[in-house]
Amino acid sequence: RKEVEQDPGPFNVPEGATVAFNCTYSNSASQSFFWYRQDCRKEPKLLMSVYSSGNEDGRFTAQLNRASQYISLLIRDSKLSDSATYLCVVADTLSGYALNFGKGTSLLVTP
Amino acid sequence: NAGVTQTPKFQVLKTGQSMTLQCAQDMNHEYMSWYRQDPGMGLRLIHYSVGAGITDQGEVPNGYNVSRSTTEDFPLRLLSAAPSQTSVYFCASREQSNQPQHFGDGTRLSIL
């Protein structure tokens, strides 16, 4: 079983739509969670950390469900510029390195 | 703000050649790592370091060496380039194990 799993998509949505991605992780000892955004062949950039109580940054909302071992990312009022691949990252801070990346979910926002 | 700096940005090598990809960070981060990214494969960890003088293998270490003589620098050496090593290479750093990573803008490497 893979450590971090994401639906690769692509998710094709019209401008203004709301879209949600989920990411499941297998290690219940995981401590830290992040969403990254990656544009085509460029470096991943941190979008937001995910906190236990859930957190919001503008149009973006992240949630953590420890019981079911998944995190989610909700994007409201999608913009053309939101088109990218979204990577889920899970850290197990009890081990030496253990920063696990999902393969990403591709989002295409269309006019 | 320099952050994580990778050089070169592009490189073409012939099979069998060796080279070093450079990575430097100016944030005094303890953790540094090297990834390769291939189409459909996601990011795969090559080697990582949790501090100066300490390195360890990741998921795909074969054909690569690293060293960490200073906190700032973490070079990746290709010993004898092979076409299978054609990829985009990203260096990343983070302050602590529970902190997010900062990535360099990548080195696009082609092996002919």
Side-chain angles (χ1 to χ4, degrees), chain A residues 62-105:
Chain A
Q63 297 279 353
L64 168 62
N65 186 317
R66 286 192 184 273
S68 300
Q69 294 183 207
Y70 74 86
I71 66 173
S72 63
L73 177 67
L74 181 78
I75 305 175
R76 292 181 299 278
D77 188 23
S78 298
K79 311 293 185 189
L80 296 177
S81 57
D82 293 334
S83 297
T85 297
Y86 291 83
L87 305 176
C88 168
V89 183
V90 176
D92 171 14
T93 56
L94 297 179
S95 68
Y97 181 85
L99 194 64
N100 297 303
F101 283 79
K103 291 187 177 180
T105 296

mmCIF file of all heavy atoms in Angstrom, chain A residues 62-105:
data_model
loop_
_atom_site.group_PDB
_atom_site.id
_atom_site.type_symbol
_atom_site.label_atom_id
_atom_site.label_comp_id
_atom_site.label_asym_id
_atom_site.label_seq_id
_atom_site.Cartn_x
_atom_site.Cartn_y
_atom_site.Cartn_z
ATOM 1 N N ALA A 62 -8.332 23.724 4.136
ATOM 2 C CA ALA A 62 -7.747 22.400 4.336
ATOM 3 C C ALA A 62 -8.344 21.776 5.586
ATOM 4 O O ALA A 62 -8.594 22.462 6.573
ATOM 5 C CB ALA A 62 -6.235 22.508 4.470
ATOM 6 N N GLN A 63 -8.581 20.476 5.509
ATOM 7 C CA GLN A 63 -9.133 19.739 6.643
ATOM 8 C C GLN A 63 -8.314 18.478 6.871
ATOM 9 O O GLN A 63 -7.779 17.896 5.927
ATOM 10 C CB GLN A 63 -10.594 19.336 6.362
ATOM 11 C CG GLN A 63 -11.555 20.483 6.186
ATOM 12 C CD GLN A 63 -12.017 21.058 7.504
ATOM 13 O OE1 GLN A 63 -11.720 20.524 8.572
ATOM 14 N NE2 GLN A 63 -12.745 22.165 7.436
ATOM 15 N N LEU A 64 -8.267 18.059 8.127
ATOM 16 C CA LEU A 64 -7.583 16.826 8.498
ATOM 17 C C LEU A 64 -8.569 15.921 9.230
ATOM 18 O O LEU A 64 -9.239 16.376 10.156
ATOM 19 C CB LEU A 64 -6.390 17.139 9.403
ATOM 20 C CG LEU A 64 -5.720 15.964 10.125
ATOM 21 C CD1 LEU A 64 -5.129 14.971 9.131
ATOM 22 C CD2 LEU A 64 -4.669 16.471 11.097
ATOM 23 N N ASN A 65 -8.635 14.694 8.831
ATOM 24 C CA ASN A 65 -9.450 13.701 9.527
ATOM 25 C C ASN A 65 -8.538 12.568 9.956
ATOM 26 O O ASN A 65 -8.204 11.680 9.153
ATOM 27 C CB ASN A 65 -10.560 13.189 8.601
ATOM 28 C CG ASN A 65 -11.528 12.254 9.311
ATOM 29 O OD1 ASN A 65 -11.121 11.378 10.085
ATOM 30 N ND2 ASN A 65 -12.816 12.434 9.064
ATOM 31 N N ARG A 66 -8.114 12.611 11.202
ATOM 32 C CA ARG A 66 -7.152 11.608 11.691
ATOM 33 C C ARG A 66 -7.806 10.225 11.806
ATOM 34 O O ARG A 66 -7.153 9.213 11.583
ATOM 35 C CB ARG A 66 -6.590 12.024 13.044
ATOM 36 C CG ARG A 66 -5.582 13.155 12.963
ATOM 37 C CD ARG A 66 -4.860 13.314 14.294
ATOM 38 N NE ARG A 66 -3.943 14.438 14.290
ATOM 39 C CZ ARG A 66 -2.682 14.362 13.880
ATOM 40 N NH1 ARG A 66 -2.196 13.219 13.435
ATOM 41 N NH2 ARG A 66 -1.915 15.436 13.914
ATOM 42 N N ALA A 67 -9.056 10.198 12.163
ATOM 43 C CA ALA A 67 -9.727 8.903 12.367
ATOM 44 C C ALA A 67 -9.762 8.109 11.062
ATOM 45 O O ALA A 67 -9.528 6.898 11.039
ATOM 46 C CB ALA A 67 -11.135 9.125 12.899
ATOM 47 N N SER A 68 -10.044 8.817 9.968
ATOM 48 C CA SER A 68 -10.126 8.154 8.667
ATOM 49 C C SER A 68 -8.835 8.301 7.862
ATOM 50 O O SER A 68 -8.735 7.782 6.743
ATOM 51 C CB SER A 68 -11.297 8.715 7.855
ATOM 52 O OG SER A 68 -12.518 8.511 8.541
ATOM 53 N N GLN A 69 -7.877 9.000 8.431
ATOM 54 C CA GLN A 69 -6.551 9.170 7.827
ATOM 55 C C GLN A 69 -6.632 9.767 6.427
ATOM 56 O O GLN A 69 -6.145 9.185 5.435
ATOM 57 C CB GLN A 69 -5.765 7.847 7.838
ATOM 58 C CG GLN A 69 -5.432 7.396 9.242
ATOM 59 C CD GLN A 69 -4.603 6.136 9.320
ATOM 60 O OE1 GLN A 69 -4.663 5.409 10.297
ATOM 61 N NE2 GLN A 69 -3.825 5.845 8.306
ATOM 62 N N TYR A 70 -7.247 10.934 6.359
ATOM 63 C CA TYR A 70 -7.201 11.662 5.103
ATOM 64 C C TYR A 70 -7.172 13.161 5.378
ATOM 65 O O TYR A 70 -7.574 13.636 6.432
ATOM 66 C CB TYR A 70 -8.366 11.292 4.174
ATOM 67 C CG TYR A 70 -9.712 11.856 4.554
ATOM 68 C CD1 TYR A 70 -10.103 13.137 4.132
ATOM 69 C CD2 TYR A 70 -10.614 11.125 5.305
ATOM 70 C CE1 TYR A 70 -11.346 13.654 4.466
ATOM 71 C CE2 TYR A 70 -11.858 11.623 5.628
ATOM 72 C CZ TYR A 70 -12.215 12.890 5.211
ATOM 73 O OH TYR A 70 -13.447 13.403 5.542
ATOM 74 N N ILE A 71 -6.641 13.860 4.389
ATOM 75 C CA ILE A 71 -6.713 15.316 4.400
ATOM 76 C C ILE A 71 -7.412 15.763 3.122
ATOM 77 O O ILE A 71 -7.448 15.025 2.132
ATOM 78 C CB ILE A 71 -5.328 15.978 4.533
ATOM 79 C CG1 ILE A 71 -4.453 15.723 3.309
ATOM 80 C CG2 ILE A 71 -4.619 15.505 5.790
ATOM 81 C CD1 ILE A 71 -3.144 16.501 3.340
ATOM 82 N N SER A 72 -7.968 16.933 3.177
ATOM 83 C CA SER A 72 -8.703 17.434 2.025
ATOM 84 C C SER A 72 -8.311 18.882 1.746
ATOM 85 O O SER A 72 -7.819 19.598 2.620
ATOM 86 C CB SER A 72 -10.216 17.340 2.258
ATOM 87 O OG SER A 72 -10.595 18.150 3.342
ATOM 88 N N LEU A 73 -8.525 19.275 0.509
ATOM 89 C CA LEU A 73 -8.300 20.649 0.081
ATOM 90 C C LEU A 73 -9.523 21.078 -0.703
ATOM 91 O O LEU A 73 -9.915 20.413 -1.666
ATOM 92 C CB LEU A 73 -7.056 20.757 -0.799
ATOM 93 C CG LEU A 73 -6.755 22.142 -1.359
ATOM 94 C CD1 LEU A 73 -6.363 23.109 -0.232
ATOM 95 C CD2 LEU A 73 -5.644 22.082 -2.405
ATOM 96 N N LEU A 74 -10.115 22.183 -0.281
ATOM 97 C CA LEU A 74 -11.280 22.739 -0.958
ATOM 98 C C LEU A 74 -10.888 24.069 -1.575
ATOM 99 O O LEU A 74 -10.307 24.923 -0.896
ATOM 100 C CB LEU A 74 -12.426 22.945 0.047
ATOM 101 C CG LEU A 74 -13.734 23.505 -0.506
ATOM 102 C CD1 LEU A 74 -14.506 22.411 -1.217
ATOM 103 C CD2 LEU A 74 -14.593 24.089 0.615
ATOM 104 N N ILE A 75 -11.200 24.228 -2.837
ATOM 105 C CA ILE A 75 -10.935 25.486 -3.533
ATOM 106 C C ILE A 75 -12.273 26.069 -3.957
ATOM 107 O O ILE A 75 -13.029 25.443 -4.707
ATOM 108 C CB ILE A 75 -10.037 25.288 -4.771
ATOM 109 C CG1 ILE A 75 -8.739 24.569 -4.392
ATOM 110 C CG2 ILE A 75 -9.734 26.633 -5.434
ATOM 111 C CD1 ILE A 75 -7.856 24.228 -5.587
ATOM 112 N N ARG A 76 -12.562 27.270 -3.458
ATOM 113 C CA ARG A 76 -13.802 27.942 -3.837
ATOM 114 C C ARG A 76 -13.543 28.962 -4.923
ATOM 115 O O ARG A 76 -12.433 29.494 -5.045
ATOM 116 C CB ARG A 76 -14.402 28.643 -2.608
ATOM 117 C CG ARG A 76 -14.911 27.713 -1.528
ATOM 118 C CD ARG A 76 -15.514 28.518 -0.368
ATOM 119 N NE ARG A 76 -14.518 29.391 0.253
ATOM 120 C CZ ARG A 76 -13.647 28.978 1.151
ATOM 121 N NH1 ARG A 76 -13.654 27.724 1.552
ATOM 122 N NH2 ARG A 76 -12.775 29.811 1.666
ATOM 123 N N ASP A 77 -14.574 29.253 -5.707
ATOM 124 C CA ASP A 77 -14.493 30.297 -6.738
ATOM 125 C C ASP A 77 -13.222 30.108 -7.580
ATOM 126 O O ASP A 77 -12.364 31.006 -7.659
ATOM 127 C CB ASP A 77 -14.512 31.669 -6.071
ATOM 128 C CG ASP A 77 -14.629 32.807 -7.070
ATOM 129 O OD1 ASP A 77 -15.119 32.567 -8.201
ATOM 130 O OD2 ASP A 77 -14.210 33.943 -6.749
ATOM 131 N N SER A 78 -13.091 28.977 -8.201
ATOM 132 C CA SER A 78 -11.878 28.622 -8.943
ATOM 133 C C SER A 78 -11.517 29.673 -9.989
ATOM 134 O O SER A 78 -12.386 30.214 -10.686
ATOM 135 C CB SER A 78 -12.078 27.272 -9.650
ATOM 136 O OG SER A 78 -12.302 26.250 -8.727
ATOM 137 N N LYS A 79 -10.236 29.937 -10.092
ATOM 138 C CA LYS A 79 -9.682 30.859 -11.084
ATOM 139 C C LYS A 79 -8.888 30.066 -12.116
ATOM 140 O O LYS A 79 -8.392 28.978 -11.832
ATOM 141 C CB LYS A 79 -8.755 31.872 -10.410
ATOM 142 C CG LYS A 79 -9.310 32.550 -9.183
ATOM 143 C CD LYS A 79 -10.458 33.463 -9.502
ATOM 144 C CE LYS A 79 -10.909 34.234 -8.255
ATOM 145 N NZ LYS A 79 -12.176 34.977 -8.523
ATOM 146 N N LEU A 80 -8.738 30.666 -13.294
ATOM 147 C CA LEU A 80 -7.907 30.018 -14.320
ATOM 148 C C LEU A 80 -6.508 29.740 -13.788
ATOM 149 O O LEU A 80 -5.892 28.712 -14.092
ATOM 150 C CB LEU A 80 -7.825 30.888 -15.570
ATOM 151 C CG LEU A 80 -9.120 31.127 -16.331
ATOM 152 C CD1 LEU A 80 -8.881 32.077 -17.501
ATOM 153 C CD2 LEU A 80 -9.720 29.812 -16.829
ATOM 154 N N SER A 81 -6.016 30.652 -12.952
ATOM 155 C CA SER A 81 -4.661 30.535 -12.414
ATOM 156 C C SER A 81 -4.524 29.416 -11.379
ATOM 157 O O SER A 81 -3.405 29.108 -10.959
ATOM 158 C CB SER A 81 -4.230 31.857 -11.780
ATOM 159 O OG SER A 81 -5.156 32.235 -10.779
ATOM 160 N N ASP A 82 -5.637 28.823 -10.971
ATOM 161 C CA ASP A 82 -5.564 27.680 -10.047
ATOM 162 C C ASP A 82 -5.176 26.395 -10.768
ATOM 163 O O ASP A 82 -4.893 25.380 -10.121
ATOM 164 C CB ASP A 82 -6.906 27.465 -9.340
ATOM 165 C CG ASP A 82 -7.266 28.601 -8.396
ATOM 166 O OD1 ASP A 82 -6.347 29.279 -7.893
ATOM 167 O OD2 ASP A 82 -8.484 28.808 -8.152
ATOM 168 N N SER A 83 -5.184 26.406 -12.079
ATOM 169 C CA SER A 83 -4.810 25.211 -12.849
ATOM 170 C C SER A 83 -3.378 24.824 -12.513
ATOM 171 O O SER A 83 -2.441 25.607 -12.699
ATOM 172 C CB SER A 83 -4.937 25.487 -14.351
ATOM 173 O OG SER A 83 -6.271 25.762 -14.698
ATOM 174 N N ALA A 84 -3.222 23.613 -12.006
ATOM 175 C CA ALA A 84 -1.912 23.153 -11.541
ATOM 176 C C ALA A 84 -2.083 21.723 -11.037
ATOM 177 O O ALA A 84 -3.183 21.169 -11.063
ATOM 178 C CB ALA A 84 -1.377 24.044 -10.422
ATOM 179 N N THR A 85 -1.002 21.157 -10.559
ATOM 180 C CA THR A 85 -1.061 19.868 -9.862
ATOM 181 C C THR A 85 -0.906 20.134 -8.374
ATOM 182 O O THR A 85 -0.021 20.894 -7.966
ATOM 183 C CB THR A 85 0.042 18.924 -10.353
ATOM 184 O OG1 THR A 85 -0.172 18.637 -11.738
ATOM 185 C CG2 THR A 85 0.029 17.614 -9.575
ATOM 186 N N TYR A 86 -1.758 19.510 -7.578
ATOM 187 C CA TYR A 86 -1.754 19.715 -6.134
ATOM 188 C C TYR A 86 -1.214 18.455 -5.453
ATOM 189 O O TYR A 86 -1.753 17.356 -5.627
ATOM 190 C CB TYR A 86 -3.157 20.076 -5.650
ATOM 191 C CG TYR A 86 -3.559 21.445 -6.143
ATOM 192 C CD1 TYR A 86 -4.090 21.619 -7.423
ATOM 193 C CD2 TYR A 86 -3.347 22.579 -5.366
ATOM 194 C CE1 TYR A 86 -4.413 22.871 -7.905
ATOM 195 C CE2 TYR A 86 -3.671 23.841 -5.832
ATOM 196 C CZ TYR A 86 -4.195 23.977 -7.109
ATOM 197 O OH TYR A 86 -4.501 25.233 -7.588
ATOM 198 N N LEU A 87 -0.154 18.644 -4.698
ATOM 199 C CA LEU A 87 0.535 17.535 -4.048
ATOM 200 C C LEU A 87 0.194 17.506 -2.565
ATOM 201 O O LEU A 87 0.280 18.533 -1.881
ATOM 202 C CB LEU A 87 2.053 17.679 -4.193
ATOM 203 C CG LEU A 87 2.618 17.824 -5.606
ATOM 204 C CD1 LEU A 87 4.123 18.061 -5.542
ATOM 205 C CD2 LEU A 87 2.318 16.587 -6.419
ATOM 206 N N CYS A 88 -0.129 16.347 -2.105
ATOM 207 C CA CYS A 88 -0.365 16.112 -0.685
ATOM 208 C C CYS A 88 0.933 15.608 -0.071
ATOM 209 O O CYS A 88 1.596 14.735 -0.649
ATOM 210 C CB CYS A 88 -1.483 15.076 -0.578
ATOM 211 S SG CYS A 88 -1.748 14.375 1.041
ATOM 212 N N VAL A 89 1.318 16.146 1.073
ATOM 213 C CA VAL A 89 2.571 15.758 1.713
ATOM 214 C C VAL A 89 2.303 15.426 3.172
ATOM 215 O O VAL A 89 1.652 16.208 3.880
ATOM 216 C CB VAL A 89 3.614 16.891 1.624
ATOM 217 C CG1 VAL A 89 4.930 16.428 2.241
ATOM 218 C CG2 VAL A 89 3.826 17.294 0.178
ATOM 219 N N VAL A 90 2.814 14.291 3.597
ATOM 220 C CA VAL A 90 2.581 13.807 4.955
ATOM 221 C C VAL A 90 3.922 13.522 5.602
ATOM 222 O O VAL A 90 4.770 12.847 5.000
ATOM 223 C CB VAL A 90 1.714 12.526 4.922
ATOM 224 C CG1 VAL A 90 1.549 11.957 6.323
ATOM 225 C CG2 VAL A 90 0.361 12.824 4.302
ATOM 226 N N ALA A 91 4.122 14.014 6.809
ATOM 227 C CA ALA A 91 5.394 13.825 7.508
ATOM 228 C C ALA A 91 5.203 12.967 8.740
ATOM 229 O O ALA A 91 4.306 13.217 9.550
ATOM 230 C CB ALA A 91 5.980 15.178 7.896
ATOM 231 N N ASP A 92 6.083 12.003 8.868
ATOM 232 C CA ASP A 92 6.116 11.182 10.078
ATOM 233 C C ASP A 92 7.330 11.631 10.865
ATOM 234 O O ASP A 92 8.453 11.219 10.594
ATOM 235 C CB ASP A 92 6.222 9.707 9.702
ATOM 236 C CG ASP A 92 6.478 8.824 10.922
ATOM 237 O OD1 ASP A 92 6.311 9.323 12.054
ATOM 238 O OD2 ASP A 92 6.843 7.654 10.723
ATOM 239 N N THR A 93 7.141 12.506 11.820
ATOM 240 C CA THR A 93 8.273 13.118 12.507
ATOM 241 C C THR A 93 8.936 12.194 13.517
ATOM 242 O O THR A 93 9.937 12.549 14.104
ATOM 243 C CB THR A 93 7.821 14.397 13.222
ATOM 244 O OG1 THR A 93 6.746 14.074 14.095
ATOM 245 C CG2 THR A 93 7.369 15.439 12.221
ATOM 246 N N LEU A 94 8.376 11.011 13.697
ATOM 247 C CA LEU A 94 8.993 10.076 14.634
ATOM 248 C C LEU A 94 10.129 9.298 13.991
ATOM 249 O O LEU A 94 10.920 8.669 14.670
ATOM 250 C CB LEU A 94 7.942 9.099 15.170
ATOM 251 C CG LEU A 94 6.806 9.735 15.973
ATOM 252 C CD1 LEU A 94 5.829 8.681 16.433
ATOM 253 C CD2 LEU A 94 7.357 10.512 17.171
ATOM 254 N N SER A 95 10.223 9.334 12.676
ATOM 255 C CA SER A 95 11.299 8.619 11.994
ATOM 256 C C SER A 95 12.330 9.621 11.501
ATOM 257 O O SER A 95 12.149 10.829 11.633
ATOM 258 C CB SER A 95 10.747 7.792 10.835
ATOM 259 O OG SER A 95 10.268 8.643 9.822
ATOM 260 N N GLY A 96 13.400 9.128 10.922
ATOM 261 C CA GLY A 96 14.509 9.994 10.560
ATOM 262 C C GLY A 96 14.190 11.019 9.498
ATOM 263 O O GLY A 96 14.608 12.157 9.579
ATOM 264 N N TYR A 97 13.409 10.603 8.517
ATOM 265 C CA TYR A 97 13.127 11.548 7.430
ATOM 266 C C TYR A 97 11.660 11.592 7.099
ATOM 267 O O TYR A 97 11.018 12.601 7.257
ATOM 268 C CB TYR A 97 13.938 11.205 6.189
ATOM 269 C CG TYR A 97 13.659 12.195 5.095
ATOM 270 C CD1 TYR A 97 14.344 13.390 5.046
ATOM 271 C CD2 TYR A 97 12.654 11.972 4.157
ATOM 272 C CE1 TYR A 97 14.064 14.331 4.075
ATOM 273 C CE2 TYR A 97 12.362 12.910 3.189
ATOM 274 C CZ TYR A 97 13.079 14.086 3.158
ATOM 275 O OH TYR A 97 12.786 15.013 2.208
ATOM 276 N N ALA A 98 11.183 10.520 6.570
ATOM 277 C CA ALA A 98 9.786 10.212 6.309
ATOM 278 C C ALA A 98 8.899 11.399 5.939
ATOM 279 O O ALA A 98 7.965 11.749 6.660
ATOM 280 C CB ALA A 98 9.176 9.451 7.474
ATOM 281 N N LEU A 99 9.220 12.043 4.831
ATOM 282 C CA LEU A 99 8.333 13.043 4.254
ATOM 283 C C LEU A 99 7.791 12.416 2.982
ATOM 284 O O LEU A 99 8.521 12.220 2.024
ATOM 285 C CB LEU A 99 9.115 14.316 3.946
ATOM 286 C CG LEU A 99 8.321 15.575 3.651
ATOM 287 C CD1 LEU A 99 7.526 15.997 4.866
ATOM 288 C CD2 LEU A 99 9.278 16.693 3.236
ATOM 289 N N ASN A 100 6.524 12.083 2.987
ATOM 290 C CA ASN A 100 5.940 11.314 1.894
ATOM 291 C C ASN A 100 5.066 12.178 1.010
ATOM 292 O O ASN A 100 4.148 12.849 1.491
ATOM 293 C CB ASN A 100 5.132 10.151 2.449
ATOM 294 C CG ASN A 100 6.010 9.180 3.214
ATOM 295 O OD1 ASN A 100 6.975 8.649 2.682
ATOM 296 N ND2 ASN A 100 5.698 8.962 4.477
ATOM 297 N N PHE A 101 5.342 12.117 -0.272
ATOM 298 C CA PHE A 101 4.596 12.908 -1.253
ATOM 299 C C PHE A 101 3.597 12.030 -1.988
ATOM 300 O O PHE A 101 3.929 10.921 -2.411
ATOM 301 C CB PHE A 101 5.554 13.502 -2.287
ATOM 302 C CG PHE A 101 6.332 14.681 -1.804
ATOM 303 C CD1 PHE A 101 7.437 14.519 -0.995
ATOM 304 C CD2 PHE A 101 5.958 15.972 -2.158
ATOM 305 C CE1 PHE A 101 8.157 15.611 -0.547
ATOM 306 C CE2 PHE A 101 6.671 17.071 -1.724
ATOM 307 C CZ PHE A 101 7.775 16.895 -0.915
ATOM 308 N N GLY A 102 2.409 12.536 -2.169
ATOM 309 C CA GLY A 102 1.505 11.919 -3.121
ATOM 310 C C GLY A 102 1.959 12.273 -4.532
ATOM 311 O O GLY A 102 2.782 13.167 -4.723
ATOM 312 N N LYS A 103 1.400 11.588 -5.518
ATOM 313 C CA LYS A 103 1.791 11.852 -6.905
ATOM 314 C C LYS A 103 1.086 13.072 -7.475
ATOM 315 O O LYS A 103 1.449 13.550 -8.544
ATOM 316 C CB LYS A 103 1.515 10.631 -7.774
ATOM 317 C CG LYS A 103 2.434 9.463 -7.473
ATOM 318 C CD LYS A 103 2.233 8.346 -8.469
ATOM 319 C CE LYS A 103 3.207 7.209 -8.196
ATOM 320 N NZ LYS A 103 3.032 6.097 -9.168
ATOM 321 N N GLY A 104 0.101 13.567 -6.763
ATOM 322 C CA GLY A 104 -0.529 14.793 -7.194
ATOM 323 C C GLY A 104 -1.867 14.599 -7.871
ATOM 324 O O GLY A 104 -2.135 13.548 -8.465
ATOM 325 N N THR A 105 -2.691 15.637 -7.766
ATOM 326 C CA THR A 105 -3.984 15.697 -8.447
ATOM 327 C C THR A 105 -3.947 16.866 -9.399
ATOM 328 O O THR A 105 -3.620 17.989 -8.999
ATOM 329 C CB THR A 105 -5.126 15.897 -7.436
ATOM 330 O OG1 THR A 105 -5.195 14.767 -6.566
ATOM 331 C CG2 THR A 105 -6.455 16.067 -8.159
#
